Amino acid sequence: TVPLAGQPRQVAAQNAVLTLRVSPGNAMAISRAAAASGAVTVDGAALLTALDLDARLAPMGADAPRAARASYVLSGRAEGLTPGGVIAMPPAIAEAGAMSAEGTGRVYLTAPLQPDQAQRPQVVGLASDGVTLRLGYRTARLTGHLAADGEGRAQGAVFVYTADPRGWLDLAAAAGAIPQGAVALAGTALDA
């Protein structure tokens, strides 16, 4: 039983392996967390067909946001995510087909993660050289970097590479993420 969105839910995972490593020399910070599994269900409803995620505490580097005090390198894949039953999604996305994601990235936090932490660290930046997202027959590759500015607003750049920009724009409009009129305007700009 796992609390999800504040409610206890029954989670089952085939051949699951969970790994957690702490660093005694770093105030018991979590230095590695990993999860690998076959099919995952929540309350008997399908959630994923496969999961393989790994997060490792890593040196921040010169391009880290100013407020960052820790960074974790993330890598992995999630296959066959079934939106709708377990995860609330707009109907247009739920009907588009199963999702999957694979790639690497980095998350910058205000402090390292620790077991039994009184206050959770805040995310102050995200970066990735590439995450491939699939939704039904649509595929896109995302890269970029985002960081919180002095007022907590996101700044940076995200790049989306896809062979089907119109399909993604139509889906975004059907899901209510962008106005329908923006699809025609963006389509015209892409055609030009």
Side-chain angles (χ1 to χ4, degrees):
T1 303
V2 176
L4 297 174
Q7 297 179 11
R9 309 283 297 267
Q10 286 296 121
V11 178
Q14 292 180 346
N15 302 319
V17 176
L18 302 175
T19 303
L20 184 68
R21 186 181 306 151
V22 295
S23 176
N26 193 8
M28 297 303 284
I30 295 173
S31 60
R32 181 175 182 228
S37 170
V40 178
T41 61
V42 176
D43 293 335
L47 177 63
L48 295 165
T49 57
L51 175 70
D52 188 4
L53 298 175
D54 189 85
R56 295 176 188 254
L57 186 62
M60 289 191 297
D63 57 348
R66 288 188 134 184
R69 298 294 174 262
S71 76
Y72 286 85
V73 173
L74 310 172
S75 62
R77 66 182 174 84
E79 294 180 6
L81 176 64
T82 306
V86 176
I87 299 173
M89 297 269 181
I93 293 177
E95 295 165 5
M99 292 185 201
S100 67
E102 181 173 5
T104 61
R106 184 182 293 256
V107 61
Y108 295 95
L109 303 172
T110 55
L113 297 171
Q114 295 174 315
D116 298 327
Q117 217 160 4
Q119 187 173 0
R120 289 186 183 169
Q122 300 298 308
V123 175
V124 293
L126 299 169
S128 177
D129 290 332
V131 173
T132 301
L133 177 67
R134 291 180 190 82
L135 178 57
Y137 64 87
R138 296 169 185 86
T139 302
R141 184 157 176 85
L142 308 168
T143 65
H145 54 88
L146 294 173
D149 67 9
E151 296 177 4
R153 296 185 200 152
Q155 66 179 8
V158 175
F159 302 94
V160 179
Y161 301 93
T162 181
D164 183 22
R166 186 62 182 237
W168 283 102
L169 289 170
D170 288 339
L171 181 62
I178 61 172
Q180 186 64 44
V183 173
L185 180 61
T188 301
L190 288 169
D191 290 341

